[in-house]
Amino acid sequence: MLQSKSFVKKTKQGRIQKVVREHYLRDDIYCGFVPCSACDAAAERKLHADAAAILVVDTNVVLHQIDLLENPTIEDVVLLSVVLDEVKNKNLAVFNRIKALCTNKARRFYVFANEQHRDTYVKDMVGESSNDRNDRAIRVAARWYQSHLGGSVKVMLITNDRDNKKKAIEEGLNAETVESYVRSLGQPGLLDLVVVPTSGDVTMEDVEDHRPSKKKVIYSEHKPMSEITSGLRCGIYHQGKLRVNRYNPFEAYVGSESIGDEIVIRGRSNMNRAFDGDIVAVELLPQDQWHESKSFIADDDEEEEEDVHLVPNSADDAPRNTSSTQSTVGSSAPSVSSRPIGRVVGIIKRNWNSYCGSLQPMPMPAGSGGVAHALFVSKDRRIPKIRIQTRQLENLVNKRIVVAVDSWGVLSRYPSGHYVRTIGDIGDKETETEASILKFTVASNAVTTYLKKLACKNIADVTNFVHPGTPLDEEAAQRGTSVYLVGQRIDMLPKPLTEDVCSLRADVERLAFSVIWEMTPDADIISTRYTKSVIKSCAAMSYVEAQARMDDSRLVDPLTVDLRNLNSLAKIMRQRRCDRGALTLASAEVKFEIDSETHDPLDIGIYQIREANQMIEEFMLAANISVAEKILKHFPLCSLLRRHPTPTKEMLEPLLRTTSSVGLNLDVSSSKALAESLDNAKSNDPYFNKLIRILATRCMTQAVYFCSGDLNSSEYYHYGLAASLYTHFTSPIRRYADVVVHRLLAAALDIAKLPPIFQDGPQLTGIADNLNYRHRNAQMASRASVELHTLIYFRTRPTDTEARIVKVKANGFIVFVPKFGIEGPIYLSPKGDKGGDWVVDEVHQRVTKPGSNISHAVLQTVRIHMEVVEPQPHRPKLQLTLI
Amino acid sequence: MEYVDPLTGFRVDGRRPNEMRQLKGEVGVVARADGSALFEMGNTRVIAAVYGPREVNSPTLISAVQNKGQQVNSKEALVRCEYRMAEFSTGDRRRKPKGDRRSTEISLVIRQTMEASILTDLMPRSQIDIFVQVLQADGGTRSACINAATLALANAGIPMRDIVTSCSAGYLCSTPLLDLNYLEDSAGGPDVTVGILAKMDKVTLLQMDAKLPMDTFENVMGLAIEGCKAIATYIRESRKINGLNMLKIADPSVHVTHRVRLAGWMDGFQCSGQEI
Ligand SMILES: [Zn+2]
């Protein structure tokens, strides 16, 4: 049977055209019920013979009750293609979850292509909205199931739409709301997973907001979509992704292409219920309102405050410094910011998720078992508190739980959500680690770096074991990378591959992929050869061991001599790289020594970089560059490369402001100029140079993977390395990017065929994007893990140490603690007392107490006391105070 | 965009990856022509008219043909082809210049494909003109033109070695797809157009303007060939019916296994009147 779908659509040039599309209807789509004899015997079947009922769910049930559907008590569900299509258009994240349920062999979720079935396809009716049409299609499909299955099993339509439910019952269907269905299962705990219906839907019987004071309008209404679209077109509104400042949740930025700058959004009411990651429409405030709010450490009217945290490694995870040139001391006129300030008028696409955190401590309501309202505080500070209701409050306090957001109306200060699951007790190390993993949903892997055989750069040949398209490959592609958590690892690849087969060990033959250079003593490359090889390492040693050998002048054995030769080559290569303008950046990486019994941290300190590390790093860089050249030559359109964008002037501004306040002028016109002025940044303070480098590093964005076909070759540049081409080849065990590059190299050498996925530009771009996303998450997870262990460490060890002021604020300053790689606020005046009696000089980054000679300036050394305090039970935090 | 639904396995128009669109053929649609046919593959609709064989005697014509690089041989029939796209055939009614590069190229492709099957040496000093016009374009126009031309030639009673049929296949979402429609065609993935001499099992046309790994290419091309065979079967099975003179075609009782299934809706095409 054939149906024509015709509709009009607008072309890119703005012309209207009629589109006619064929739509084939079929008779070979089956019901999926195990005992059904009417259907083709070979057809896939998932709906169980002894199901109490076959559930047909509507779109909103999937969109809003996905946590409930994921609960294993819910089975024998039919997902109609009309529902899946709507879900996909409305929320891709939920679609991916429902897709996972449908493809999961252990779950009994059956996909029924009702839109293709001869008997369940419904034609559009004149004057019918697409919502009504889809609701009708759902009822038609449910009726088909009912008549097809006869009396053998009950078919039930689950919908929260009052109208749809009424019509279904009139048509002789069984229909229930989510809540009444879940209630009928007799499991009260399940009810917590049910999302409170919003207006227009059937209301829950016992839901009532007990606080009349909350009934006042707090936020302005979002503009309707039509108004937003026309506003965007005529330039009144600007569209972009909202990023909430990780360190100040009351400030957010929207990168706008139409303005070419970031729009700053200040305060929750201007953010107007937008979440981090939402695509929003923003309206600029009049220019005379672009006042700089004084940059307090703790902003706005709420109880949030700055935490002690790990020092950021790049601009991607650092707060953007918004306090640009501020008025000098004493000036009372409000200064006008150079950056546009705006407010959110509408949300184009939500980025709601599940979040991990805990309930805000509250007095237990009298009696138990009833419905209680509680506020959930996410571990991710960018997320506002979430109001949930629960029937099991006593089980949830002092637990790490996962909560999902459902809605946020103009009347309520906080968004509403529902409980999803419990992870464990707060403060429990395993719970917290899982929480930090969950927060970034990633897997991890530990560092087991051995010095590989030392005549050329050999990289374990992972691709020999991980073949394209296999489940192992897909999983690795999903995980994308490995995360380094303190004292724990989850591998990207299975353990036997990671630790044994692919690790190069002494005197064991291993498959490897090698880049072999022939070099002059001056480290000029004469020839480069790439080959698969079988390697028998003559030694496997740690960096420490290698360093010790090189340093021990008594050793003259061939291995040590080789090591020294390689080291001298590496030094020349390094020098040459620096001459090209590569930046020697610095980051404060922290190392823990872990107690093998309790897994508690025994000692922490900055990771020491040895010459041996640098030597290996140099060869790795060279291998990566050589491989990048090779694969790009063979596959100019589908190579996976890595680039480091040149930082903009604006990004470097915080650094320049800091350095100019101490009289140092940095030339940032090019990476070479910056490298040189960093080299010249000297003072009699031995740590000064390193500190400036750390500050410089965090102004830059992270390097990213990309597909060579997507960009012009001028954009391939790696700023930090001053290399025109770069990729990742050297760590295929822990990074999926390297696996991809291995395949490209193998194809370039005609060793293997290029997998078909490389023909698919968008898919390759998708892989690159996923890798970037996973890498960022991996980093965030390992940072969270380090922060957790830092807290555990200081819990029993209050410490006095030296710190450096990195930023001056109105009521205090931010210090960086070099020894532990963390930074945090020091308050000069009590909280809430904004400004107090201190005077801030933003130009010179200095706070002074008038009438005294006490002052603190940026980069100055101060002595501080570090101690873990518990202002609220079960909520320990690290506090820094000035001695 | 997902051209193959990951959960249902159906394409955007409800077909499975190895299914062809609905076929429809009709001959004798242009009364004044010696042979004519209308051929539809889904919403792609093409009309072909054949004039000839008739005597070639105009020297100006011969020189004009020679200018196009076509050799004129007095011992064989001269085949000419003109392809055109109706202005109303696509969604955007854009005025297309006559004789643009694409039209010239498709004219050439159709002519060469047809020449391979016409027994030109049986018709010395004669010329055969094939006019093909696209009435409605929805992907696969090239293939539809060749199929229409085959039907029109048969309708004109022009002796042929074998019937030529054509079909395309593409590769999207890591899946070989048979008979791309316009939406799938404009996804920018690789697509292969194949023409075969159905009974002789010979490929006479193969076009692809993208890169594909060898093994993928073989799968895609194999699928297109199966599509060509299914079209040939469709034409043969309906050839006994009225108007269509295919006596010159060798007996088609060749056994072919069909991996291709016509979509489930095809529970028998109509055989009334001029429809085949
Ligand atoms: Zn059945």
Side-chain angles (χ1 to χ4, degrees), chain B residues 238-271:
Chain B
S238 43
R239 85 181 173 102
K240 291 186 196 98
I241 309 154
N242 61 68
L244 186 58
N245 181 354
M246 275 207 261
L247 297 174
K248 308 264 178 358
I249 300 174
D251 179 27
S253 58
V254 186
H255 183 74
V256 192
T257 340
H258 295 286
R259 186 146 57 91
V260 187
R261 295 178 46 225
L262 292 168
W265 40 267
M266 278 214 58
D267 19 57
F269 38 83
Q270 290 165 308
C271 306

Side-chain angles (χ1 to χ4, degrees), chain A residues 398-459:
Chain A
N398 299 330
K399 289 278 191 326
R400 277 275 175 248
I401 60 171
V402 176
V403 157
V405 198
D406 304 321
S407 63
W408 196 348
V410 288
L411 295 176
S412 86
R413 178 173 297 279
Y414 302 113
S416 320
H418 65 273
Y419 160 81
V420 178
R421 69 185 185 94
T422 303
I423 300 170
D425 290 326
I426 291 179
D428 176 57
K429 196 154 54 266
E430 271 145 42
T431 304
E432 296 300 335
T433 305
E434 192 189 338
S436 54
I437 295 171
L438 252 181
K439 191 165 147 195
F440 306 106
T441 50
V442 280
S444 89
N445 183 11
V447 224
T448 30
T449 317
Y450 283 91
L451 274 187
K452 313 275 158 73
K453 189 181 172 251
L454 291 164
C456 50
K457 188 71 222 155
N458 297 306
I459 306 302

